[in-house]
Amino acid sequence: MKPSRGERIYSIAVYIVLSIAGLLCLLPLVHIASLSISSMQAVASGHVTIYPVGLSFDAYKQLFEGTPIMKSFMNSIWITVFGVLFSMVFTILAAYPLTRSYFFGRRTYTFGIVFTMLFGGGLIPTYLTIRSLELINTYWALWLPGLVSVFNLLVLRTFIENIPNEVDEASRIDGCGEWRYLLQIVLPLSTPVLATLGLFYGVGYWNSFFNVLMFINDSGKFNLAVLVQQLIQSQMLLSQMNASGSSEQIVLSPEMVNAAAIIVMVLPMMAVYPFLQKHFVKGVMIGAVKG
Amino acid sequence: MMFVPIILFFIIFKYVPMFGAIIAFKKYNFADGILHSPWVGLDNFKLLFSTPTTLQIIRNTLVISLLSIFVSFPFPIMLAIMLNEVRRMWFKRIVQTLVYLPHFFSWIIVSGIVVTVFSQQNGLISGIWESVTGHTYPFLYREGSWLAIFVGSGIWKEAGFSAIIYLAALSSIDPTLYEAASMDGASRWKQIWHVTLPGLRITIVLMLILAMGRVMEVGFDQVYMLQNSTVSNISEVISTYIYKIGLMGSQFSLTAAMGLFESMVSLILVLIANAIARRYGNGLW
């Protein structure tokens, strides 16, 4: 059947709108990247749009020499690597028993866990708990409260539940114990969903901001997010001062340093994103089917 | 056996704080701690609902989140429907890759981009605005445009990723329905209206229920990063207030009361939304 005129216009419109949506997501980032490697004069005169003008890496030089960004970069990596490790181990340990039909009281436990998703004590009591455990200013304050995300737990549980029971029975007959079944059968079968959860946890830890702000006071332990936030906040102050008229000449445009900092924070994520993208769509769908 | 640490985790980090919320009914002081501080009944709540500042903050929270929820709600649906119409797989994949990407940026990055692009001196948008209208406009320092930027940045960050769930629902619609509809002479618009949207109904209801649970919480990072003193009249919300007054100002009891109020309202809203949905046969549980 030949598509009618209306249908052709319709599908062309769909392609155009989607292209615009895709570009809208990409262009701001390209703009920031261009800002960070353009020359100061070009940025100050507003000539930089989506490609760099007058190539210069001064912003990065200033960023790495003038701010403790290397230190906070390493802190972010530290927080993320160990955070993901702990979270994955405990999410697996939580999800697996909840799928075993012979696990006593699993409905009660499931309810108790899901309830924490709907209702929580709130920020202040959580803070007081962490403080009374003397975890303030240690990274344990970041790792422990977010150890198991209920959403991720439910995603993994649903996935494991869908592994056919026959697999379990067969391995039992072959003399496979509980731990061995989990480690050698369940986990290898769950690789796609584990990759997804790892990505979610990793992004969460990498981007963690509020918890660091709340629980870490020592500026030597700040992560990238807090450092970048401080840079941006100081830029807002500067532009507010300028807007109100009491302007002093700024030597190197702070936008450029911030742009460079944003790029430094985005790059590691962009590096792993393509590898994990095909997995997470699957992971989200599993979670969506049975939340 | 392996479940013991999990139980401990949920008790220590979820249920102990829940219990700790009783300081909302106490006058907390450092010397006595949570357990031994004196009870004050509902005094903190009375204070909460009689002070203009706190009332305004609760109102701000509601305005900002309802606005965000309802303005941004249709975007992922439209995106998913359009992506579903695309037949060229390479194009679909590229668009998906791009629109999912912002979800993985933290609010620090998104607001960094927003502040840069809308900066009054040499931001990109301000530059375009100036060349069209001839004068600059302080986008981030006017309440109306600040709200628009706030909601818009939320859509930019999350619309693509939220579309995944609708895409999943769309893939489960029986293709023969479309064939039948097109045999009967239904146009593409008619097909979307009579086949696609009804197929998405359950997912839409589900997402609305979940959104209801978030009405009282406006994400801290987003507000904290985008707000400035000029627009604090509308931008101060519960989470930022609890942080500033509660943690920084050590007003633990008052802000714990606020937090408890927030949690209670969220819980009730979810239950109500679910009850309504269940009446129409689409409940979450």
CSV table of all heavy atoms in Angstrom, one decimal, chain A residues 34-53:
chain,number,residue,atom,x,y,z
A,34,SER,N,33.0,23.7,23.8
A,34,SER,CA,33.7,24.7,23.0
A,34,SER,C,34.1,25.9,23.8
A,34,SER,O,35.2,26.4,23.6
A,34,SER,CB,32.7,25.3,21.9
A,34,SER,OG,32.2,24.2,21.2
A,35,LEU,N,33.3,26.3,24.8
A,35,LEU,CA,33.7,27.4,25.7
A,35,LEU,C,35.0,27.1,26.3
A,35,LEU,O,35.9,27.9,26.5
A,35,LEU,CB,32.6,27.6,26.7
A,35,LEU,CG,31.4,28.5,26.5
A,35,LEU,CD1,30.6,28.6,27.7
A,35,LEU,CD2,31.8,29.8,26.0
A,36,SER,N,35.1,25.8,26.8
A,36,SER,CA,36.3,25.5,27.6
A,36,SER,C,37.6,25.5,26.8
A,36,SER,O,38.6,25.6,27.4
A,36,SER,CB,36.1,24.1,28.3
A,36,SER,OG,36.2,23.1,27.3
A,37,ILE,N,37.5,25.4,25.5
A,37,ILE,CA,38.8,25.4,24.8
A,37,ILE,C,38.9,26.5,23.8
A,37,ILE,O,39.6,26.5,22.8
A,37,ILE,CB,39.0,24.0,24.0
A,37,ILE,CG1,37.8,23.7,23.1
A,37,ILE,CG2,39.3,22.9,24.9
A,37,ILE,CD1,38.0,22.5,22.2
A,38,SER,N,38.1,27.6,24.0
A,38,SER,CA,38.2,28.8,23.2
A,38,SER,C,39.1,29.8,23.9
A,38,SER,O,39.4,29.7,25.0
A,38,SER,CB,36.8,29.4,22.9
A,38,SER,OG,36.1,28.5,22.1
A,39,SER,N,39.5,30.8,23.1
A,39,SER,CA,40.3,31.8,23.7
A,39,SER,C,39.4,32.8,24.5
A,39,SER,O,38.2,32.9,24.2
A,39,SER,CB,41.0,32.6,22.6
A,39,SER,OG,40.1,33.4,21.9
A,40,MET,N,40.0,33.5,25.4
A,40,MET,CA,39.3,34.3,26.3
A,40,MET,C,38.5,35.4,25.6
A,40,MET,O,37.4,35.7,25.9
A,40,MET,CB,40.2,34.9,27.4
A,40,MET,CG,39.6,35.0,28.7
A,40,MET,SD,40.5,36.3,29.6
A,40,MET,CE,39.4,37.7,29.2
A,41,GLN,N,39.2,36.0,24.6
A,41,GLN,CA,38.6,37.2,23.9
A,41,GLN,C,37.3,36.7,23.2
A,41,GLN,O,36.3,37.4,23.2
A,41,GLN,CB,39.5,37.8,22.9
A,41,GLN,CG,40.7,38.5,23.4
A,41,GLN,CD,41.8,37.5,23.8
A,41,GLN,OE1,41.7,36.3,23.7
A,41,GLN,NE2,42.9,38.1,24.4
A,42,ALA,N,37.4,35.5,22.6
A,42,ALA,CA,36.2,35.0,21.9
A,42,ALA,C,35.0,34.8,22.8
A,42,ALA,O,33.9,35.1,22.5
A,42,ALA,CB,36.6,33.7,21.1
A,43,VAL,N,35.3,34.2,24.0
A,43,VAL,CA,34.3,34.0,25.0
A,43,VAL,C,33.7,35.3,25.4
A,43,VAL,O,32.4,35.4,25.5
A,43,VAL,CB,34.8,33.1,26.1
A,43,VAL,CG1,33.7,33.0,27.2
A,43,VAL,CG2,35.2,31.8,25.7
A,44,ALA,N,34.5,36.2,25.8
A,44,ALA,CA,34.1,37.5,26.3
A,44,ALA,C,33.2,38.2,25.3
A,44,ALA,O,32.2,38.9,25.7
A,44,ALA,CB,35.3,38.3,26.8
A,45,SER,N,33.5,38.1,24.0
A,45,SER,CA,32.7,38.9,23.1
A,45,SER,C,31.5,38.1,22.6
A,45,SER,O,30.7,38.5,21.8
A,45,SER,CB,33.6,39.2,21.9
A,45,SER,OG,34.2,38.1,21.3
A,46,GLY,N,31.4,36.8,23.1
A,46,GLY,CA,30.2,36.1,22.8
A,46,GLY,C,30.2,35.4,21.4
A,46,GLY,O,29.1,35.2,20.9
A,47,HIS,N,31.4,35.2,20.9
A,47,HIS,CA,31.4,34.6,19.5
A,47,HIS,C,31.3,33.1,19.5
A,47,HIS,O,31.1,32.5,18.5
A,47,HIS,CB,32.7,35.0,18.8
A,47,HIS,CG,32.7,36.4,18.3
A,47,HIS,ND1,31.6,36.9,17.7
A,47,HIS,CD2,33.6,37.4,18.5
A,47,HIS,CE1,31.8,38.2,17.4
A,47,HIS,NE2,33.0,38.5,17.8
A,48,VAL,N,31.5,32.5,20.7
A,48,VAL,CA,31.5,31.0,20.8
A,48,VAL,C,30.1,30.5,20.8
A,48,VAL,O,29.3,30.8,21.7
A,48,VAL,CB,32.3,30.5,22.0
A,48,VAL,CG1,32.4,29.0,22.0
A,48,VAL,CG2,33.7,31.1,22.0
A,49,THR,N,29.8,29.7,19.8
A,49,THR,CA,28.4,29.0,19.9
A,49,THR,C,28.6,27.5,20.0
A,49,THR,O,28.7,27.0,21.1
A,49,THR,CB,27.6,29.3,18.7
A,49,THR,OG1,28.4,29.2,17.5
A,49,THR,CG2,27.1,30.8,18.8
A,50,ILE,N,28.7,26.8,18.8
A,50,ILE,CA,28.9,25.4,19.0
A,50,ILE,C,30.2,24.8,18.5
A,50,ILE,O,30.5,23.7,18.5
A,50,ILE,CB,27.8,24.6,18.2
A,50,ILE,CG1,27.7,25.0,16.8
A,50,ILE,CG2,26.4,24.8,18.9
A,50,ILE,CD1,26.9,24.2,15.9
A,51,TYR,N,31.1,25.7,18.1
A,51,TYR,CA,32.5,25.3,17.8
A,51,TYR,C,33.4,26.2,18.4
A,51,TYR,O,33.1,27.4,18.6
A,51,TYR,CB,32.7,25.2,16.3
A,51,TYR,CG,32.3,26.5,15.5
A,51,TYR,CD1,33.2,27.5,15.4
A,51,TYR,CD2,31.0,26.6,15.0
A,51,TYR,CE1,32.9,28.7,14.8
A,51,TYR,CE2,30.7,27.8,14.4
A,51,TYR,CZ,31.6,28.8,14.3
A,51,TYR,OH,31.2,30.0,13.7
A,52,PRO,N,34.6,25.7,18.8
A,52,PRO,CA,35.6,26.6,19.5
A,52,PRO,C,36.2,27.7,18.6
A,52,PRO,O,36.3,27.4,17.4
A,52,PRO,CB,36.7,25.6,20.0
A,52,PRO,CG,36.5,24.4,19.2
A,52,PRO,CD,35.1,24.4,18.7
A,53,VAL,N,36.4,28.8,19.2
A,53,VAL,CA,37.0,29.9,18.4
A,53,VAL,C,38.3,30.3,19.1
A,53,VAL,O,38.4,30.5,20.3
A,53,VAL,CB,36.1,31.2,18.5
A,53,VAL,CG1,36.8,32.3,17.7
A,53,VAL,CG2,34.7,30.9,17.9
